[in-house]
Amino acid sequence: QVQLVESGGGLVQPGGSLRLSCAASGSVYAINNMGWYRQAPGKERELVATITSGGSTNYADSVKGRFTISRDNARNTVYLQMNSLKAEDTAVYYCNAYIHAGSVTYMNYWGKGTLVTVSS
């Protein structure tokens, strides 16, 4: 069985930085695409950034130039470096990954989320 666990969220001032981590644990055989999503109060969950197994990345327009997604395949971990944070970035951030576990083919998994609050 596989679990995704996010960490690194918290309270930060506007203009500050945070780095989120998401580690996959359990019977992980291989991980394909990984990504970060977020959901602000009263809004729908939206895509923030994705990264393929080969390292190709995509970003939402709202975070381009400020956020960087990366991964460490040896540790089954994906990161989201968030710089120049704005109040509008306040949301619960969720990790998503497409994982091959045990004898089961690739499936989508979600973390439980980590709260990022950008406020003075």
Side-chain angles (χ1 to χ4, degrees), residues 25-97:
S25 62
S27 301
V28 177
Y29 181 77
I31 303 177
N32 201 329
N33 295 348
M34 305 185 79
W36 289 94
Y37 294 72
R38 68 185 182 186
Q39 187 166 22
K43 297 184 178 180
E44 295 184 351
R45 188 173 300 186
E46 64 176 352
L47 174 68
V48 176
T50 60
I51 184 167
T52 69
S53 60
S56 297
T57 60
N58 282 293
Y59 298 92
D61 289 341
S62 59
V63 306
K64 286 181 179 177
R66 300 188 298 120
F67 291 11
T68 302
I69 188 171
S70 61
R71 62 192 290 167
D72 184 341
N73 292 329
R75 297 185 177 184
N76 293 330
T77 301
V78 63
Y79 306 95
L80 185 68
Q81 178 67 47
M82 305 185 294
N83 299 326
S84 302
L85 283 162
K86 306 174 181 179
E88 303 90 271
D89 296 317
T90 296
V92 176
Y93 284 71
Y94 297 90
C95 177
N96 174 258

Side-chain angles (χ1 to χ4, degrees), residues 3 12-13 24 26 46 57 61 67 81 87 98 101-103 108 112:
Q3 299 86 41
V12 65
Q13 294 184 336
E46 64 176 352
T57 60
D61 289 341
F67 291 11
Q81 178 67 47
Y98 194 49
S103 61
N108 279 309
K112 295 182 179 180

